[in-house]
Amino acid sequence: MPNCTINDVVCEFEDGQSILAVATANGIEIPYYCWHPGLSVVANCRICLAEVAAPNPRNDGKVETIPKLLPTCQTMAAEGQIVTTQSEKAVANQHSIMELLLINHPVDCPVCDQAGECGLQDYAYQYGNSASRFEEEKIKQPKKDVGPHVLLYSDRCIMCTRCVRFTEEVTGTHELLISGRGATESIDVFPGKPLDNPLSGNVVDLCPVGALLDKDFLFAQRVWYLKSTPSIDGLTASGDNILIEHNMDKVYRLKPRTNMDINRWWMTDEVRYGWHFVNDETRQLMPSLRNSEPFEQDAPDEAWDVAEAAALDGLQDAGHIAALISPMLSCEDAWHLGQLARAIDPRAVLAVGPVPVDGQDQTMLDGFVIRAEKAPNARGVRRVLESLGGTVLDAAGFHAALREDASIAGVLITGNYPSEWVTPDLIDAISGGRFTVLIDTLPNALKADAFLPGATWMEKAGTFENVEGRLQSFHSAVSPARWCKSEAQIATDLLARLRGETPHTFCDAATRQAMAEHGIVEMTRDVQHPPATDVQADSDMHLIVL
Ligand code: SF4
Ligand code: FES
């Protein structure tokens, strides 16, 4: 492989890689604003300029320094190149660019949502001058409401044009443009054409400063308090890699996590903003029994004990039962629920719950696909249930089986959808005095004999199989809401009760091992795991005692 030297480090590179890409791949910091690996190169911010020396073929290959600084984002790496961003000339350029970018910037970091993760703030410390020489009046630019999710604080913009290129090159929707000229130019939308494409929130991630802000996160939390837990999209079949950002057991926002095989750098708005049901005030937090007084909130253990006993007794008394396992659940949830159903009734009918589909898959200009299937694990749930033997029905088959077989006297239903999912058809199919146990998260139209509150995917660990058959595990980001439990834990507890064993805490890794030993070898062989730990931004602020 050819190699070059960047800031005294010898780096191998592939043909066609820019100096900046090579530096980034080798952990060498070169400051940049306008460059992004998923967008075209425009080289307009000029902070990445470096002094470059290279062999001159017209002078017997003698290494000569190129007189002008070169943009490392736009200059291809070449054999024998010697690049430095630490020379006097390169550092003087960095100082000048930072001074220029800050001339009209309001420097309102204390009230800016981006503080703590702002490229301008970070580079001002690392590459800027400590004082500004600018004494004239700053040009003030307005705040603009550019779309349903995004606000533009124009006077913080550094005109890197990443956001404009995103709508041109990734979504192809062209909502954003550069309006005006010179010092008064600004980002804008066309009149009556808001930034409302299905990936619009990505411009907030792309903006290196606090110019484009997320309405959903505005003034909600200082970013240095947030922990990031690597996770997987739990709302659609995409398997997109995400970060769940939370503080003190409360989720504040979702961000994309780069996976070049799946979602690259992006995520959809439907996932980015579709998770709020997790914190919904109507969330079902306590078990309940039909025709019984609500349980006392100060005795949740007793409530669970009574409700689980009633649920298990009712299903056992029914004799022949059917279980509808939601595609919103993890493979581990499905495994334990399937085991429970078959332990109660070896002939238990197993079915995958309704799989919501909205239109057709939509492929964006750069190949990112928005999946029509709005459930994260239909394939994984089916794979697990099929391993337990017998035919696994779909939701329509489940309804038909209940209508045709009056001997099915008990049903175990699971939901965990982000909105109402129970259909009149399901209610009709269950009717006829069947004992009904429902495990769900939000209220719905189904009247169960025993209700047990489940946990959303953010509140538990597990594995999803996406639409392409990729198995990916995820960690729990926050604890289950109040007294809720994961479906796997509920099933584990009910099984222990059924067998007269001491209940134990559900473990996703042990469950995958058990599934693999049962024959689903993919559960230990093919599952891709996220990084092991939460990430918390280190504060780079230092306390100075005066
Ligand atoms: S709004 Fe942000 S992303 Fe867009 S040009 Fe300005 S600084 Fe760049
Ligand atoms: S990153 Fe190279 S000019 Fe902007």
Side-chain angles (χ1 to χ4, degrees):
M1 261 181 139
N3 58 52
C4 61
T5 304
I6 306 174
N7 289 350
D8 298 326
V9 179
V10 177
C11 307
E12 291 188 336
F13 62 89
E14 289 171 12
D15 282 344
Q17 271 189 299
S18 67
I19 296 171
L20 182 53
V22 176
T24 308
N26 283 276
I28 302 165
E29 182 175 308
I30 295 180
Y32 64 88
Y33 287 122
C34 65
W35 180 76
H36 187 281
L39 301 173
S40 62
V41 176
V42 288
N44 68 4
C45 76
R46 315 308 282 180
I47 189 83
C48 75
L49 268 51
E51 202 152 10
V52 178
N56 184 350
R58 284 173 289 183
N59 191 7
D60 294 334
K62 200 171 149 209
V63 175
E64 292 178 357
T65 301
I66 295 162
K68 283 167 67 176
L69 296 176
L70 295 182
T72 55
C73 60
Q74 200 176 42
T75 307
M76 294 303 125
E79 177 67 41
Q81 249 174 5
I82 300 169
V83 179
T84 178
T85 58
Q86 296 162 340
S87 69
E88 202 178 317
K89 207 166 162 183
V91 169
N93 173 70
Q94 291 155 8
H95 283 171
S96 301
I97 294 295
M98 286 311 302
E99 188 171 9
L100 178 73
L101 292 178
L102 288 168
I103 278 180
N104 284 310
H105 190 279
V107 199
D108 55 348
C109 305
V111 295
C112 178
D113 256 12
Q114 191 89 356
E117 55 182 5
C118 173
L120 204 55
Q121 201 178 41
D122 292 345
Y123 289 170
Y125 283 106
Q126 289 172 262
Y127 303 100
N129 288 320
S130 56
S132 170
R133 292 174 293 169
F134 190 74
E135 292 172 348
E136 291 77 10
E137 191 84 1
K138 291 187 184 231
I139 295 173
K140 292 195 175 60
Q141 301 250 26
K143 296 181 181 62
K144 295 174 193 164
D145 188 349
V146 292
H149 303 299
V150 180
L151 286 174
L152 170 64
Y153 284 56
S154 303
D155 49 12
R156 295 178 187 158
C157 173
I158 59 167
M159 295 307 295
C160 72
T161 72
R162 278 184 180 193
C163 55
V164 178
R165 281 176 281 147
F166 180 80
T167 62
E168 284 173 0
E169 299 164 13
V170 178
T171 60
T173 45
H174 302 272
E175 297 104 328
L176 294 174
L177 73 147
I178 300 167
S179 136
R181 287 289 179 272
T184 58
E185 70 180 358
S186 66
I187 300 298
D188 211 337
V189 288
F190 294 96
K193 300 252 184 229
L195 175 69
D196 61 357
N197 68 66
L199 302 185
S200 70
N202 290 281
V203 298
V204 175
D205 306 332
L206 281 170
C207 184
V209 299
L212 290 168
L213 294 179
D214 205 328
K215 289 181 189 174
D216 198 47
F217 183 68
L218 199 66
F219 306 133
Q221 186 81 174
R222 301 307 331 210
V223 298
W224 50 86
Y225 293 131
L226 295 176
K227 275 191 187 144
S228 282
T229 303
S231 187
I232 303 296
D233 165 10
L235 299 176
T236 80
S238 69
D240 287 354
N241 287 206
I242 62 168
L243 292 167
I244 298 174
E245 301 205 334
H246 54 96
N247 179 26
M248 298 181 74
D249 258 350
K250 185 171 175 201
V251 176
Y252 284 92
R253 66 177 181 182
L254 304 191
K255 289 277 183 186
R257 182 162 58 90
T258 305
N259 184 325
M260 296 308 290
D261 294 328
I262 305 178
N263 52 303
R264 294 150 65 81
W265 304 272
W266 324 124
M267 72 187 289
T268 58
D269 287 359
E270 68 181 327
V271 177
R272 190 187 292 268
Y273 305 116
W275 57 271
H276 284 285
F277 74 99
V278 170
N279 294 339
D280 196 286
E281 59 184 23
T282 64
R283 185 83 187 267
Q284 301 295 285
L285 303 171
M286 183 60 103
S288 61
L289 297 175
R290 199 204 294 240
N291 303 327
S292 294
E293 289 295 310
F295 290 112
E296 295 292 335
Q297 302 228 338
D298 55 3
D301 292 344
E302 191 184 320
W304 271 102
D305 188 47
V306 173
E308 283 183 349
L312 192 59
D313 288 349
L315 291 176
Q316 281 186 291
D317 290 347
H320 190 25
I321 67 168
L324 187 71
I325 311 299
S326 168
M328 307 305 291
L329 302 186
S330 68
C331 294
E332 290 80 353
D333 290 329
W335 169 259
H336 289 291
L337 289 163
Q339 296 274 332
L340 172 68
R342 285 287 162 81
I344 294 170
D345 170 18
R347 295 186 303 121
V349 173
L350 300 179
V352 181
V355 181
V357 176
D358 182 9
Q360 293 187 328
D361 286 356
Q362 191 184 349
T363 304
M364 311 311 279
L365 269 187
D366 78 335
F368 181 92
V369 183
I370 301 171
R371 299 293 176 183
E373 191 174 309
K374 306 303 180 193
N377 197 32
R379 283 152 201 79
V381 168
R382 176 167 289 282
R383 181 197 287 265
V384 169
L385 296 183
E386 283 178 349
S387 79
L388 299 174
T391 307
V392 174
L393 305 173
D394 60 12
F398 180 79
H399 300 167
L402 290 181
R403 289 200 179 96
E404 287 163 14
D405 189 349
S407 72
I408 300 173
V411 286
L412 171 62
I413 308 287
T414 56
N416 219 320
Y417 295 84
S419 56
E420 176 62 90
W421 66 278
V422 171
T423 58
D425 206 24
L426 175 64
I427 294 174
D428 180 59
I430 289 173
S431 64
R434 291 184 167 102
F435 185 83
T436 304
V437 175
L438 172 65
I439 307 176
D440 211 343
T441 48
L442 297 173
N444 62 44
L446 207 157
K447 299 281 175 274
D449 295 288
F451 172 81
L452 305 173
T456 66
W457 98 98
M458 296 183 177
E459 301 162 341
K460 60 190 174 189
T463 307
F464 288 150
E465 180 172 348
N466 83 345
V467 70
E468 296 171 314
R470 284 176 196 273
L471 287 157
Q472 300 181 97
S473 70
F474 53 94
H475 306 303
S476 90
V478 291
S479 308
R482 298 302 295 271
W483 308 287
C484 299
K485 291 185 194 176
S486 75
E487 284 78 350
Q489 185 64 60
I490 294 170
T492 303
D493 290 350
L494 290 173
L495 256 177
R497 186 182 287 269
L498 180 72
R499 293 170 177 159
E501 297 169 352
T502 309
H504 63 273
T505 305
F506 150 75
C507 168
D508 60 317
T511 304
R512 285 192 290 275
Q513 184 65 39
M515 288 191 275
E517 286 166 10
H518 179 75
I520 321 175
V521 292
E522 298 86 353
M523 286 297 169
T524 50
R525 191 188 64 195
D526 297 344
V527 175
Q528 293 162 11
H529 301 287
T533 50
D534 288 358
V535 180
Q536 181 151 27
D538 281 334
S539 173
D540 49 11
M541 285 189 243
H542 301 287
L543 183 67
I544 298 170
V545 181
L546 298 173

